Amino acid sequence: MIRKILISVAGRGLCEEMFNMLAEIPAIQQASVTVLHVVRPQVTAEAMSAKLEEGGKILADAVKSLKVDPSKITPRLKQGDPKNIVTQVADEEETDLIIMGSRGLTRLEAILENSVSQYVFQLSSRPMLLVKDDVYVKQIRRVMVAMDKSDAAQNSFELALSLVRDMKNAQLYLARVIPEAKPDQLMSNAEADPVLAEAAAKAKRQGVSYRCVLSGGKPGPGICQLAEDKNIDLLILGSPDRRPSIAKSLVDLDRLLGNSLSDYVRVKANCPVLLSRTTT
Protein backbone atom coordinates (compact mmCIF):
# COMPACT_ATOMS: atom_id res chain seq x y z
CA MET A 1 0.00 0.00 0.00
CA ILE A 2 1.35 3.40 -1.00
CA ARG A 3 0.45 5.90 1.72
CA LYS A 4 3.43 8.28 1.64
CA ILE A 5 5.02 9.60 -1.55
CA LEU A 6 8.21 11.65 -1.84
CA ILE A 7 8.60 13.68 -5.04
CA SER A 8 12.08 15.04 -5.66
CA VAL A 9 11.66 18.03 -8.00
CA ALA A 10 14.32 19.82 -10.03
CA GLY A 11 12.33 22.37 -12.00
CA ARG A 12 11.76 20.31 -15.16
CA GLY A 13 8.18 19.31 -14.32
CA LEU A 14 8.51 15.63 -15.24
CA CYS A 15 7.97 14.24 -11.75
CA GLU A 16 4.97 16.49 -11.21
CA GLU A 17 3.44 15.24 -14.48
CA MET A 18 4.09 11.65 -13.43
CA PHE A 19 2.46 12.16 -10.06
CA ASN A 20 -0.62 13.71 -11.65
CA MET A 21 -1.03 10.58 -13.76
CA LEU A 22 -0.62 8.41 -10.67
CA ALA A 23 -3.14 10.55 -8.79
CA GLU A 24 -5.86 9.22 -11.09
CA ILE A 25 -5.34 5.74 -9.63
CA PRO A 26 -7.77 5.08 -6.73
CA ALA A 27 -5.10 3.32 -4.65
CA ILE A 28 -2.94 6.47 -4.75
CA GLN A 29 -5.59 9.07 -4.01
CA GLN A 30 -5.37 8.81 -0.22
CA ALA A 31 -1.58 9.16 -0.11
CA SER A 32 0.15 12.12 1.48
CA VAL A 33 2.84 13.83 -0.60
CA THR A 34 6.13 15.42 0.33
CA VAL A 35 7.56 17.66 -2.39
CA LEU A 36 11.31 18.08 -1.94
CA HIS A 37 13.74 20.42 -3.63
CA VAL A 38 17.38 20.37 -2.58
CA VAL A 39 19.71 23.34 -3.03
CA ARG A 40 23.38 22.47 -3.33
CA PRO A 41 25.89 24.39 -1.16
CA GLN A 42 27.33 27.53 -2.80
CA VAL A 43 30.68 29.26 -2.40
CA THR A 44 29.35 32.59 -1.11
CA ALA A 45 26.45 33.65 1.09
CA GLU A 46 25.09 35.80 -1.74
CA ALA A 47 25.10 32.87 -4.14
CA MET A 48 23.46 30.66 -1.52
CA SER A 49 20.74 33.23 -0.93
CA ALA A 50 20.05 33.46 -4.67
CA LYS A 51 19.87 29.68 -5.02
CA LEU A 52 17.50 29.39 -2.08
CA GLU A 53 15.23 32.01 -3.63
CA GLU A 54 15.30 30.13 -6.94
CA GLY A 55 14.69 26.83 -5.13
CA GLY A 56 11.71 28.29 -3.29
CA LYS A 57 10.13 29.26 -6.60
CA ILE A 58 10.77 25.80 -8.08
CA LEU A 59 9.17 24.23 -5.02
CA ALA A 60 6.16 26.58 -5.07
CA ASP A 61 5.57 25.94 -8.78
CA ALA A 62 5.80 22.18 -8.25
CA VAL A 63 3.29 22.24 -5.39
CA LYS A 64 0.91 24.41 -7.42
CA SER A 65 1.03 21.98 -10.37
CA LEU A 66 0.02 18.90 -8.36
CA LYS A 67 -3.59 17.75 -8.78
CA VAL A 68 -4.16 16.80 -5.18
CA ASP A 69 -5.75 18.23 -2.04
CA PRO A 70 -3.26 20.89 -0.82
CA SER A 71 -3.75 19.69 2.76
CA LYS A 72 -2.02 16.44 1.79
CA ILE A 73 1.11 18.19 0.50
CA THR A 74 4.19 18.98 2.59
CA PRO A 75 6.75 21.16 0.76
CA ARG A 76 10.37 20.89 1.92
CA LEU A 77 13.28 23.06 0.82
CA LYS A 78 16.60 21.62 2.01
CA GLN A 79 20.26 22.52 1.67
CA GLY A 80 22.95 19.94 1.01
CA ASP A 81 23.96 17.18 -1.37
CA PRO A 82 20.77 15.97 -3.13
CA LYS A 83 21.96 12.35 -3.10
CA ASN A 84 22.14 12.29 0.66
CA ILE A 85 19.16 14.52 1.35
CA VAL A 86 16.70 12.48 -0.75
CA THR A 87 17.60 9.22 1.00
CA GLN A 88 17.60 10.95 4.40
CA VAL A 89 14.14 12.48 3.93
CA ALA A 90 12.76 9.22 2.54
CA ASP A 91 13.93 7.41 5.65
CA GLU A 92 12.74 10.12 8.04
CA GLU A 93 9.25 10.06 6.58
CA GLU A 94 9.12 6.29 6.01
CA THR A 95 8.27 6.93 2.38
CA ASP A 96 6.47 4.18 0.45
CA LEU A 97 7.44 5.54 -2.98
CA ILE A 98 10.12 7.92 -4.24
CA ILE A 99 9.45 9.68 -7.55
CA MET A 100 12.57 11.05 -9.25
CA GLY A 101 13.66 12.26 -12.64
CA SER A 102 16.45 10.42 -14.42
CA ARG A 103 18.69 11.33 -17.33
CA GLY A 104 18.83 7.67 -18.33
CA LEU A 105 22.60 7.45 -18.00
CA THR A 106 24.40 4.13 -18.14
CA ARG A 107 25.95 2.89 -14.91
CA LEU A 108 29.42 4.19 -15.70
CA GLU A 109 28.11 7.52 -16.99
CA ALA A 110 25.98 7.89 -13.87
CA ILE A 111 28.98 7.31 -11.63
CA LEU A 112 31.21 9.71 -13.55
CA GLU A 113 28.53 12.41 -13.64
CA ASN A 114 27.53 11.97 -10.00
CA SER A 115 23.94 10.99 -10.84
CA VAL A 116 21.49 11.60 -8.00
CA SER A 117 18.93 9.03 -9.18
CA GLN A 118 21.58 6.32 -9.61
CA TYR A 119 22.93 6.98 -6.12
CA VAL A 120 19.48 6.87 -4.53
CA PHE A 121 18.60 3.74 -6.52
CA GLN A 122 21.67 1.95 -5.17
CA LEU A 123 21.47 3.23 -1.59
CA SER A 124 17.77 3.27 -0.81
CA SER A 125 15.73 0.15 -0.17
CA ARG A 126 12.47 1.99 -0.91
CA PRO A 127 10.39 1.64 -4.09
CA MET A 128 11.33 4.18 -6.75
CA LEU A 129 9.54 5.50 -9.81
CA LEU A 130 12.06 6.85 -12.30
CA VAL A 131 10.97 9.20 -15.09
CA LYS A 132 13.56 9.73 -17.80
CA ASP A 133 13.99 13.10 -19.48
CA ASP A 134 13.22 11.64 -22.92
CA VAL A 135 10.09 9.70 -21.90
CA TYR A 136 6.61 10.99 -22.67
CA VAL A 137 4.45 10.73 -19.55
CA LYS A 138 1.04 9.33 -20.46
CA GLN A 139 -2.22 8.57 -18.74
CA ILE A 140 -1.78 5.19 -17.06
CA ARG A 141 -3.93 2.49 -18.60
CA ARG A 142 -1.48 -0.25 -19.59
CA VAL A 143 0.64 -1.53 -16.71
CA MET A 144 3.22 -4.27 -17.24
CA VAL A 145 4.91 -6.29 -14.51
CA ALA A 146 7.95 -8.45 -15.21
CA MET A 147 7.45 -11.94 -13.81
CA ASP A 148 9.76 -14.76 -12.81
CA LYS A 149 10.04 -17.08 -9.81
CA SER A 150 11.82 -14.59 -7.52
CA ASP A 151 10.44 -12.97 -4.39
CA ALA A 152 11.18 -9.58 -5.97
CA ALA A 153 8.91 -10.38 -8.93
CA GLN A 154 6.13 -11.59 -6.64
CA ASN A 155 6.40 -8.39 -4.63
CA SER A 156 6.16 -6.27 -7.79
CA PHE A 157 3.15 -8.31 -8.93
CA GLU A 158 1.34 -7.62 -5.65
CA LEU A 159 2.10 -3.92 -6.03
CA ALA A 160 0.80 -3.97 -9.61
CA LEU A 161 -2.42 -5.66 -8.49
CA SER A 162 -2.98 -3.08 -5.76
CA LEU A 163 -2.67 -0.29 -8.32
CA VAL A 164 -4.69 -1.78 -11.17
CA ARG A 165 -7.45 -3.45 -9.16
CA ASP A 166 -9.78 -0.43 -8.94
CA MET A 167 -8.71 1.36 -12.13
CA LYS A 168 -11.27 1.75 -14.89
CA ASN A 169 -10.32 0.53 -18.38
CA ALA A 170 -6.91 -0.63 -17.16
CA GLN A 171 -5.05 -3.67 -18.43
CA LEU A 172 -2.36 -5.55 -16.55
CA TYR A 173 0.29 -7.24 -18.69
CA LEU A 174 2.03 -10.19 -17.06
CA ALA A 175 5.32 -10.53 -18.90
CA ARG A 176 7.97 -13.21 -18.70
CA VAL A 177 11.23 -13.44 -20.64
CA ILE A 178 12.84 -16.89 -20.63
CA PRO A 179 16.62 -16.73 -21.14
CA GLU A 180 18.09 -18.96 -23.85
CA ALA A 181 14.64 -19.97 -25.06
CA LYS A 182 14.23 -20.60 -28.78
CA PRO A 183 11.07 -19.46 -30.59
CA ASP A 184 9.83 -23.02 -31.05
CA GLN A 185 10.25 -23.64 -27.30
CA LEU A 186 7.87 -20.84 -26.34
CA MET A 187 4.28 -21.81 -25.72
CA SER A 188 1.69 -20.47 -28.13
CA ASN A 189 -0.55 -19.91 -25.10
CA ALA A 190 1.42 -17.71 -22.72
CA GLU A 191 -1.11 -18.21 -19.94
CA ALA A 192 -0.11 -21.89 -19.84
CA ASP A 193 3.36 -20.91 -18.64
CA PRO A 194 3.52 -22.06 -14.98
CA VAL A 195 4.84 -18.74 -13.65
CA LEU A 196 2.33 -16.63 -15.55
CA ALA A 197 -0.54 -19.06 -14.92
CA GLU A 198 -0.35 -18.59 -11.15
CA ALA A 199 -0.28 -14.81 -11.47
CA ALA A 200 -3.09 -14.84 -14.03
CA ALA A 201 -5.28 -16.92 -11.75
CA LYS A 202 -4.83 -14.44 -8.91
CA ALA A 203 -5.53 -11.46 -11.18
CA LYS A 204 -8.68 -13.17 -12.43
CA ARG A 205 -9.91 -13.83 -8.89
CA GLN A 206 -9.53 -10.13 -8.11
CA GLY A 207 -11.41 -9.07 -11.22
CA VAL A 208 -8.36 -7.53 -12.90
CA SER A 209 -8.25 -7.44 -16.70
CA TYR A 210 -4.96 -9.01 -17.77
CA ARG A 211 -2.93 -10.38 -20.64
CA CYS A 212 0.00 -12.79 -20.52
CA VAL A 213 2.99 -12.22 -22.79
CA LEU A 214 5.96 -14.52 -23.19
CA SER A 215 9.29 -13.96 -24.89
CA GLY A 216 12.76 -15.46 -25.10
CA GLY A 217 16.27 -14.05 -24.92
CA LYS A 218 18.07 -11.79 -22.50
CA PRO A 219 15.68 -10.50 -19.82
CA GLY A 220 16.67 -6.81 -20.01
CA PRO A 221 16.25 -6.27 -23.76
CA GLY A 222 13.28 -8.64 -23.78
CA ILE A 223 11.36 -6.72 -21.13
CA CYS A 224 12.10 -3.37 -22.79
CA GLN A 225 10.98 -4.71 -26.17
CA LEU A 226 7.74 -6.07 -24.76
CA ALA A 227 7.06 -2.72 -23.07
CA GLU A 228 7.55 -0.98 -26.42
CA ASP A 229 5.52 -3.51 -28.41
CA LYS A 230 2.56 -3.30 -26.02
CA ASN A 231 2.71 0.49 -25.70
CA ILE A 232 3.06 0.23 -21.91
CA ASP A 233 2.40 3.32 -19.78
CA LEU A 234 4.05 2.05 -16.58
CA LEU A 235 6.51 -0.81 -16.14
CA ILE A 236 6.86 -2.39 -12.69
CA LEU A 237 9.99 -4.39 -12.00
CA GLY A 238 11.12 -6.19 -8.87
CA SER A 239 14.50 -4.90 -7.71
CA PRO A 240 15.95 -6.58 -4.61
CA ASP A 241 18.06 -4.59 -2.21
CA ARG A 242 21.39 -6.16 -3.18
CA ARG A 243 23.64 -4.24 -0.80
CA PRO A 244 25.40 -6.08 2.01
CA SER A 245 25.45 -3.99 5.17
CA ILE A 246 29.14 -3.19 4.82
CA ALA A 247 28.50 -1.66 1.38
CA LYS A 248 26.61 1.21 2.95
CA SER A 249 29.95 2.65 3.98
CA LEU A 250 31.51 1.90 0.58
CA VAL A 251 29.16 3.76 -1.71
CA ASP A 252 31.38 4.16 -4.75
CA LEU A 253 32.53 0.54 -4.66
CA ASP A 254 28.95 -0.65 -4.31
CA ARG A 255 27.84 1.43 -7.26
CA LEU A 256 30.73 0.28 -9.43
CA LEU A 257 29.88 -3.35 -8.73
CA GLY A 258 26.15 -2.90 -9.27
CA ASN A 259 25.10 -4.95 -12.30
CA SER A 260 21.51 -6.03 -12.61
CA LEU A 261 18.38 -6.30 -14.67
CA SER A 262 17.13 -3.17 -12.88
CA ASP A 263 20.18 -1.20 -14.05
CA TYR A 264 19.48 -2.14 -17.66
CA VAL A 265 15.73 -1.57 -17.68
CA ARG A 266 15.79 1.78 -15.89
CA VAL A 267 18.10 3.11 -18.64
CA LYS A 268 16.62 1.45 -21.73
CA ALA A 269 12.86 1.27 -21.15
CA ASN A 270 10.79 3.74 -23.16
CA CYS A 271 8.27 4.30 -20.35
CA PRO A 272 8.40 5.23 -16.65
CA VAL A 273 9.80 2.40 -14.52
CA LEU A 274 8.65 1.64 -10.99
CA LEU A 275 11.28 -0.36 -9.14
CA SER A 276 9.67 -2.37 -6.37
CA ARG A 277 12.21 -3.12 -3.67
CA THR A 278 12.62 -6.20 -1.49
CA THR A 279 15.36 -6.91 1.00
CA THR A 280 17.35 -10.09 0.37
Side-chain angles (χ1 to χ4, degrees):
M1 183 69 69
I2 297 176
R3 298 185 182 278
K4 298 179 181 180
I5 297 175
L6 172 63
I7 309 174
S8 177
V9 299
R12 299 195 297 274
L14 284 173
C15 293
E16 296 92 306
E17 289 180 27
M18 188 71 247
F19 173 81
N20 286 336
M21 295 304 179
L22 285 177
E24 297 181 5
I25 300 175
I28 299 292
Q29 290 171 355
Q30 299 305 313
S32 60
V33 184
T34 294
V35 185
L36 172 68
H37 179 70
V38 183
V39 177
R40 297 179 184 274
Q42 303 295 308
V43 175
T44 66
E46 292 79 4
M48 191 72 236
S49 178
K51 280 294 183 182
L52 286 171
E53 183 177 352
E54 178 187 352
K57 185 178 185 304
I58 289 173
L59 189 61
D61 288 345
V63 169
K64 186 178 179 180
S65 71
L66 297 183
K67 298 176 182 178
V68 66
D69 182 348
S71 67
K72 295 181 179 179
I73 302 176
T74 302
R76 297 189 68 175
L77 182 64
K78 302 276 286 184
Q79 301 178 41
D81 186 333
K83 301 190 302 296
N84 297 324
I85 297 297
V86 172
T87 52
Q88 175 187 322
V89 172
D91 288 342
E92 286 175 358
E93 301 196 356
E94 298 182 338
T95 297
D96 300 313
L97 177 66
I98 302 170
I99 302 178
M100 294 190 70
S102 169
R103 289 173 290 170
L105 302 176
T106 65
R107 192 180 314 111
L108 181 57
E109 288 172 337
I111 293 169
L112 294 177
E113 296 196 23
N114 203 25
S115 166
V116 175
S117 63
Q118 168 69 0
Y119 183 102
V120 176
F121 166 64
Q122 289 290 342
L123 268 291
S124 177
S125 59
R126 300 182 182 279
M128 292 183 63
L129 176 50
L130 297 175
V131 189
K132 290 194 301 180
D133 289 352
D134 59 351
V135 163
Y136 176 65
V137 177
K138 301 178 292 184
Q139 187 176 33
I140 299 172
R141 288 292 180 264
R142 295 168 172 249
V143 177
M144 190 172 90
V145 57
M147 299 296 302
D148 57 28
K149 297 179 180 179
S150 69
D151 290 340
Q154 291 303 313
N155 185 66
S156 63
F157 170 62
E158 294 295 338
L159 176 58
L161 276 182
S162 72
L163 294 178
V164 175
R165 189 162 41 229
D166 297 319
M167 291 173 61
K168 293 181 179 179
N169 304 316
Q171 181 113 62
L172 178 62
Y173 285 77
L174 305 172
R176 186 183 182 201
V177 178
I178 303 176
E180 311 302 332
K182 297 178 181 179
D184 60 353
Q185 293 177 313
L186 297 175
M187 302 173 186
S188 58
N189 179 14
E191 196 168 334
D193 175 80
V195 172
L196 298 184
E198 184 177 348
K202 186 164 188 177
K204 187 175 183 178
R205 288 195 300 270
Q206 297 193 22
V208 172
S209 177
Y210 69 90
R211 287 185 60 186
C212 294
V213 289
L214 200 60
S215 180
K218 294 183 178 179
I223 290 170
C224 292
Q225 188 62 54
L226 286 173
E228 183 173 351
D229 291 346
K230 304 303 179 183
N231 195 25
I232 296 302
D233 306 317
L234 177 65
L235 171 59
I236 302 180
L237 179 69
S239 178
D241 179 2
R242 303 177 305 280
R243 301 163 298 137
S245 297
I246 191 173
K248 295 180 181 180
S249 62
L250 300 170
V251 177
D252 293 329
L253 177 60
D254 183 52
R255 291 163 71 200
L256 281 167
L257 294 178
N259 183 17
S260 70
L261 175 63
S262 305
D263 288 308
Y264 185 95
V265 172
R266 71 173 179 82
V267 172
K268 300 292 186 180
N270 71 340
C271 63
V273 178
L274 198 167
L275 299 164
S276 170
R277 311 307 291 264
T278 54
T279 302
T280 57

